[in-house]
């Protein structure tokens, strides 16, 4: 039995030695005689390997070797610990750096206790020696990571917090940035800190914070992002974004998260919002200004063009007719400029609306050529055109804007050419089922442009050369408008030019392909030169506050055989209606008038309850030409909308269209009176 016990004890010692060797733990005994100052260090094999001493070294030399290899920064603390062993018998531990002869500096964990008695002169200490270099390196890496994380939080002003409960005790930890973000006191306990945070948050946002802190709703893995407004003690109102996640275990969940300061971001958003609102207000003010200027310019132009039209219908000699025709054409040029300005403003404000109606491209090109030919007077130029025969006879799109683009480009080509040929060619670029793309080329042999000038021509209110404005006139808006219209229609515009060799503008525009039966050509009765037989005897109430414009309208209507009753404002028109409603077939109503405007007068007429009040045709006349004006007229109860300067042809067509309604009303009234008899 004794032999077996000794054998088992030996095996246990062997197993223990192997375990100590695997853990790099050596054993030692230190003997120190204070009287003689002699120190001896007894070590086992593992300790000698960790110290880097030979196996045959004496205990005295081993102690000296060990003392010489201890890092100088740690020697004083080690001797102080040795002195403590004299008065205390409990276990003590220390860590220091040891300069190994083969391995270099290593980090050591050393611990021991006094084994000698209190009265013994010889101090004997037994303990262990362990190499913890790898553990120290791991701890150092962790400390560096935490230091970098802390630095990143400080630089990014990122507050980090963790909130939870352990054994019914509230735990609320946070970094120094979080303290500064909420103006907290570092010495406060968890409950005080949590209460201080909630107090800083504005009352409107406290419910969001409380919902985060309510542990009853915590589910591990759940994430939440909220934004809180905080009344900071010395920074004032701040915006904080809080992001957190529920971590831990289902038994003891907690939330960990961060707080970022988004105050500047919110301030920038507010500044951008205010700038946007200011820009929108400025844009609305510009639209109102353009509408008012349009009204103010169009009203006198209506008088000029109307009077010129009346004069042209009188007996004039050749010279007088030439002068009046030039007045009329000059007014039309001015009207074109006003229309370009309004169209440009509409595009900038996203108020331009495109039509999508069937049209005949050949007919539109002929209309463009007809408008351009008078501009060839006093020019040694010819005007030519060609349409690709492969183009379908009927297309679908906005023919008015196509015509406007070609008129601008063709007008520029004629203006900047003293001789040569101006051509308008329309080619089929590509076709895919019911979609088609046309290439419209407008070329001339005029002054041409350099590359630098070509880069500026599509900029609003600019010319390729400032001297061009003085030589040829113009606002510099036509090409900019062409480009905006082209882009709005889904196409593109390019130019090729050389100084002195002319220019070629190429416009590519997409259209739909329509059936031939979709386009209904205007009937002969739509011709402005047709006689006014159907208008004779038509009784019209005309409200116009301008004396000259009222006189012009009276003469025009009289020339058509229309019986006209004139009023100077909306109130006068309403009074005439109330007295002579049975004698009025149609009302021409100016919109802007003193005392009572045209919209109010129209609503009063509709609500008068007199015979014909509901269905009498009322036509708006206005110098405003902005988007929404026609819709506003229709909403006020009007049947049609005419823009000043009044186009005689458009006026005639509108009256003839509504005259049929008047005839139907008369017949219905006649039948009703016969039935009553």
């Amino acid at each position: 039995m004794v032999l077996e016990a000794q054998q088992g004890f030996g095996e246990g010692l062997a197993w223990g030695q192997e375990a100590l060797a695997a853990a790099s733990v050596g054993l030692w005994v230190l003997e120190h005689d204070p009287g003689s100052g002699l120190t001896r260090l007894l070590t086992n094999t593992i300790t000698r390997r960790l110290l880097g001493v030979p196996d045959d070294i004496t205990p005295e030399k081993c102690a000296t070797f060990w003392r010489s290899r201890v890092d100088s920064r740690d020697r004083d603390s080690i001797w102080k610990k040795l002195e403590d062993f004299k008065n205390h018998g409990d276990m003590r531990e220390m860590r220091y750096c040891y300069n190994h002869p083969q391995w270099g500096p290593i980090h050591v964990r050393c611990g021991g206790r006094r084994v000698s008695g209190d009265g013994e002169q010889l101090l004997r200490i037994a303990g262990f020696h362990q190499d913890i270099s790898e553990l120290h390196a791991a701890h150092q890496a962790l400390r560096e990571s935490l230091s970098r994380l802390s630095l990143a939080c400080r630089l990014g002003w990122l507050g980090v917090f963790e909130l939870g409960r352990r054994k019914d005790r509230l735990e609320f930890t946070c970094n120094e940035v979080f303290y500064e973000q909420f103006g907290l006191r570092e010495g406060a306990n968890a409950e005080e800190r949590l209460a201080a945070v909630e107090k800083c948050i504005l009352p409107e946002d406290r419910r969001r914070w409380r919902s985060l802190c309510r542990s009853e709703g915590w589910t591990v893995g759940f994430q939440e992002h909220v934004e809180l407004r905080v009344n900071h003690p010395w920074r004032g109102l701040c915006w904080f974004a809080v992001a957190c996640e529920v971590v831990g275990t289902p038994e003891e969940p907690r939330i960990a998260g961060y707080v970022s300061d988004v105050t500047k971001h919110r301030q920038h958003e507010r500044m951008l919002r205010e700038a946007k609102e200011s820009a929108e207000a400025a844009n609305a003010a510009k639209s109102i200004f353009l509408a008012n200027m349009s009204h103010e310019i169009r009203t006198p132009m209506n008088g000029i063009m109307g009077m010129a039209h009346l004069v042209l219908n009188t007996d004039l000699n050749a010279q007088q007719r030439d002068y009046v025709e030039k007045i009329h054409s000059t007014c039309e040029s001015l009207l074109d400029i006003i229309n370009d300005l309004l169209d440009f403003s509409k595009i900038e404000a996203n108020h331009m609306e495109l039509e999508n109606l069937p049209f005949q491209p050949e007919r539109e090109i002929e209309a463009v050529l007809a408008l351009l030919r008078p501009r060839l007077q006093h020019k040694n130029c010819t005007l030519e055109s060609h349409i690709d025969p492969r183009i379908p006879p009927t297309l679908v799109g906005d023919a008015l804007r196509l015509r406007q683009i070609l008129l601008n480009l063709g007008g520029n080509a004629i203006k900047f050419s003293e001789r040569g040929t101006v051509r308008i060619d329309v080619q089929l670029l590509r076709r895919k089922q019911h979609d088609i793309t046309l290439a419209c080329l407008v070329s001339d042999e005029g002054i041409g442009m350099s590359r630098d000038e070509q880069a500026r021509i599509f900029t609003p209110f600019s010319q390729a050369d400032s001297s061009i404005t003085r030589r040829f006139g113009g606002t510099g808006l036509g090409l900019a408008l062409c480009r905006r219209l082209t882009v709005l229609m889904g196409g593109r515009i390019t130019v090729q030019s050389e100084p002195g060799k002319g220019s070629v503008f190429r416009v590519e525009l997409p259209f739909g392909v329509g059936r031939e039966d979709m386009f209904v050509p205007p009937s002969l009765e739509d011709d402005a030169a047709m006689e006014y037989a159907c208008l004779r005897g038509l009784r019209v109430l005309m409200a116009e506050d301008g004396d000259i414009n009222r006189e012009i309208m009276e003469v025009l209507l009289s020339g058509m055989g229309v019986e006209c009753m004139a009023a100077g404002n909306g109130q006068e028109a309403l009074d005439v209606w109330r007295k002579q409603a049975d004698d009025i077939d149609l009302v021409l109503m100016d919109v802007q008038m003193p005392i009572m405007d045209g919209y109010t007068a129209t609503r009063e007429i509709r609500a008068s309850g007199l015979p014909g009040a509901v269905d009498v045709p009322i036509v708006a006349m206005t110098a405003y030409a902005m988007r929404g004006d026609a819709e506003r007229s229709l909403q006020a109860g009007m049947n049609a909308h005419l823009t000043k300067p009044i186009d005689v042809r458009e006026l005639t067509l509108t009256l003839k269209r509504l005259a049929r309604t008047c005839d139907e009303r008369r017949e219905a009234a006649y039948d009703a009176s016969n039935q009553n008899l």
Side-chain angles (χ1 to χ4, degrees):
M1 292 293 291
V2 174
L3 183 61
E4 292 177 358
Q6 289 179 342
Q7 185 178 1
F9 180 72
E11 292 176 355
L13 289 176
W15 177 83
Q17 291 291 334
E18 291 178 0
L20 291 174
S24 294
V25 177
L27 303 178
W28 52 264
V29 176
L30 180 69
E31 296 180 349
H32 178 66
D33 187 355
S36 63
L38 180 66
T39 302
R40 302 175 70 242
L41 182 61
L42 306 173
T43 59
N44 67 352
T45 303
I46 301 174
T47 303
R48 288 193 293 273
R49 180 174 62 84
L50 294 176
L51 294 179
V53 297
D55 290 338
D56 57 351
I57 191 170
T58 65
E60 293 81 2
K61 291 183 179 180
C62 183
T64 303
F65 186 91
W66 167 68
R67 292 176 61 179
S68 67
R69 288 287 175 174
V70 174
D71 193 275
S72 59
R73 293 171 294 182
D74 297 327
R75 286 174 187 171
D76 292 341
S77 63
I78 289 177
W79 305 142
K80 184 178 180 181
K81 290 277 188 183
L82 290 176
E83 290 295 327
D84 290 342
F85 278 109
K86 294 180 181 180
N87 304 319
H88 301 281
D90 54 347
M91 187 73 178
R92 294 183 177 275
E93 184 179 307
M94 54 188 170
R95 300 187 184 199
Y96 61 91
C97 182
Y98 180 79
N99 295 306
H100 196 281
Q102 286 86 34
W103 303 341
I106 63 173
H107 291 273
V108 174
R109 175 171 173 255
C110 188
R113 63 182 301 171
R114 190 185 69 187
V115 295
S116 58
D118 293 336
E120 295 184 25
Q121 182 179 359
L122 183 65
L123 176 66
R124 300 182 72 247
I125 305 171
F128 67 90
H129 183 101
Q130 182 182 15
D131 182 1
I132 59 169
S133 297
E134 292 184 0
L135 180 62
H136 178 83
H139 286 176
Q140 184 65 23
L142 178 60
R143 283 192 294 269
E144 291 177 356
S145 298
L146 291 175
S147 177
R148 287 193 294 269
L149 178 60
S150 178
L151 176 62
C153 289
R154 288 198 305 271
L155 294 177
W157 196 245
L158 201 67
V160 180
F161 71 95
E162 187 172 297
L163 174 64
R165 288 188 178 274
R166 179 172 295 178
K167 297 180 180 179
D168 295 330
R169 183 172 61 88
L170 180 67
E171 293 183 348
F172 184 34
T173 57
C174 46
N175 67 348
E176 59 182 9
V177 177
F178 189 93
Y179 277 90
E180 295 179 18
Q181 286 176 333
F182 289 89
L184 304 179
R185 292 184 297 108
E186 292 194 16
N189 58 37
E191 288 80 4
E192 292 173 341
R193 290 198 300 270
L194 195 61
V197 169
E198 184 172 321
K199 185 178 179 181
C200 290
I201 300 172
L202 294 190
E204 297 85 353
D205 296 343
R206 285 176 187 168
R207 181 179 55 82
R208 302 176 184 175
W209 173 253
R210 288 170 183 162
S211 65
L212 289 179
C213 301
R214 191 177 297 114
S215 59
E216 292 79 6
W218 290 352
T219 302
V220 176
F222 176 75
Q223 295 181 349
E224 185 65 271
H225 296 78
V226 298
E227 191 167 296
L228 304 174
R229 290 168 294 175
V230 173
N231 190 12
H232 196 275
W234 58 84
R235 294 176 56 213
L237 182 63
C238 300
W239 282 263
F240 290 154
V242 180
C244 61
E245 181 177 349
V246 180
V247 296
T249 64
E251 293 76 19
E252 291 187 352
R254 63 187 188 277
I255 58 171
Y258 67 87
V259 179
S260 58
D261 191 340
V262 294
T263 303
K264 290 185 178 180
H265 179 68
R266 287 290 170 260
Q267 290 173 344
H268 291 162
E269 279 188 352
R270 184 184 63 199
M271 293 172 60
L272 289 174
R273 184 169 57 254
E274 291 175 352
K276 177 177 178 290
E277 292 173 354
S278 177
E280 290 176 347
N283 192 46
K286 181 183 70 173
S287 298
I288 294 173
F289 171 77
L290 283 172
N292 290 334
M293 289 303 298
S294 169
H295 180 272
E296 295 301 321
I297 295 174
R298 286 173 180 271
T299 298
M301 280 188 62
N302 186 64
I304 297 172
M305 297 182 71
M307 285 297 181
H309 177 80
L310 296 180
V311 172
L312 288 173
N313 289 332
T314 63
D315 294 331
L316 302 172
N317 59 40
Q319 187 179 27
Q320 292 171 334
R321 183 169 295 277
D322 179 59
Y323 290 164
V324 177
E325 287 177 348
K326 287 178 179 177
I327 292 174
H328 197 273
S329 63
T330 303
C331 289
E332 289 180 339
S333 299
L334 179 58
L335 188 60
D336 289 340
I337 295 174
I338 296 173
N339 289 334
D340 284 349
L341 283 168
L342 289 174
D343 285 342
F344 188 79
S345 175
K346 291 176 185 177
I347 295 175
E348 277 199 327
N350 294 323
H351 288 170
M352 177 69 74
E353 294 182 350
L354 298 177
E355 292 182 345
N356 195 37
L357 300 174
F359 69 94
Q360 292 182 338
E362 186 174 356
R363 189 183 186 91
E364 296 301 324
I365 298 302
E366 283 298 325
V368 171
L369 296 176
L371 293 171
L372 291 177
R373 287 190 183 99
R375 305 186 189 186
L376 294 173
Q377 295 179 3
H378 313 295
K379 294 273 189 177
N380 190 21
C381 296
T382 58
L383 182 62
E384 299 179 359
S385 69
H386 178 265
I387 300 180
D388 194 330
R390 297 175 299 168
I391 297 176
T394 302
L395 301 179
V396 178
D398 197 326
L400 176 63
R401 300 307 169 190
L402 171 63
R403 191 188 309 178
Q404 189 174 1
I405 293 171
L406 295 180
L407 275 175
N408 264 311
L409 296 178
N412 275 352
I414 294 173
K415 178 166 54 173
F416 298 126
S417 300
E418 295 297 332
R419 62 185 60 85
T421 301
V422 174
R423 289 186 58 86
I424 299 179
D425 296 327
V426 183
Q427 302 173 355
L428 175 62
L429 190 61
R430 53 183 171 270
R431 179 173 181 175
K432 184 178 180 181
Q433 295 181 349
H434 300 294
D435 296 321
I436 193 172
T437 301
L438 301 183
C440 304
L441 287 79
V442 180
S443 59
D444 63 72
E445 300 174 14
I447 60 175
M449 294 174 289
S450 65
R451 288 188 177 272
D452 292 339
E453 292 169 342
Q454 294 175 42
R456 296 192 299 269
I457 58 174
F458 294 112
T459 303
F461 306 105
S462 67
Q463 296 277 9
D465 183 357
S466 59
S467 62
I468 289 178
T469 302
R470 294 192 295 271
R471 290 172 56 196
F472 298 98
T475 62
L477 187 61
L479 291 178
L481 180 60
C482 287
R483 184 174 195 172
R484 299 287 180 94
L485 288 173
T486 301
V487 172
L488 188 64
M489 297 173 69
R492 67 189 188 105
I493 181 171
T494 57
V495 59
Q496 293 181 345
S497 182
E498 291 185 27
K501 296 185 179 180
S503 305
V504 178
F505 286 86
R506 180 185 178 92
V507 181
E508 298 179 7
L509 294 172
F511 294 99
V513 178
R515 304 186 308 273
E516 292 189 31
D517 58 349
M518 293 175 63
F519 180 77
V520 180
S523 61
L524 294 177
E525 66 178 7
D526 287 338
D527 196 319
M530 171 190 174
E531 70 274 4
Y532 306 111
C534 64
L535 300 180
R536 290 194 180 98
L538 188 68
R539 297 165 298 183
V540 174
L541 169 60
M542 186 266 298
E544 168 66 60
D545 62 310
D547 295 337
I548 295 177
N549 289 334
R550 188 166 60 250
E551 180 182 351
I552 293 171
M553 289 299 297
E554 287 179 337
V555 175
L556 286 175
L557 294 173
S558 177
M560 298 177 186
V562 175
E563 298 180 15
C564 181
M565 291 169 276
N569 56 62
Q571 184 61 56
E572 291 182 9
L574 181 59
D575 294 340
V576 173
W577 166 259
R578 287 171 175 168
K579 294 177 182 178
Q580 306 180 50
D582 293 335
D583 299 327
I584 297 173
D585 298 319
L586 186 142
V587 180
L588 292 174
M589 184 73 73
D590 187 21
V591 171
Q592 289 293 114
M593 292 183 293
I595 303 178
M596 181 182 288
D597 61 78
Y599 298 129
T600 304
T602 298
R603 286 191 287 267
E604 291 292 333
I605 289 174
R606 296 298 189 200
S608 64
L610 297 174
V614 176
D615 53 5
V616 60
I618 303 178
V619 180
M621 298 187 302
T622 178
Y624 288 107
M626 296 297 288
R627 180 196 184 197
D629 291 326
E631 290 81 357
R632 186 180 177 187
S633 299
L634 297 177
Q635 290 174 1
M638 299 180 179
N639 303 88
H641 183 92
L642 294 176
T643 302
K644 296 180 182 178
I646 298 298
D647 183 88
V648 178
R649 179 177 180 274
E650 188 176 358
L651 172 64
T652 304
L653 294 176
T654 301
L655 292 178
K656 286 194 291 186
R657 176 171 58 84
L658 296 176
R660 300 188 185 96
T661 305
C662 297
D663 293 338
E664 293 173 359
R665 287 177 56 239
R666 288 199 194 99
E667 292 176 2
Y670 178 77
D671 294 339
S673 61
N674 288 339
Q675 290 178 2
N676 292 333
L677 292 176

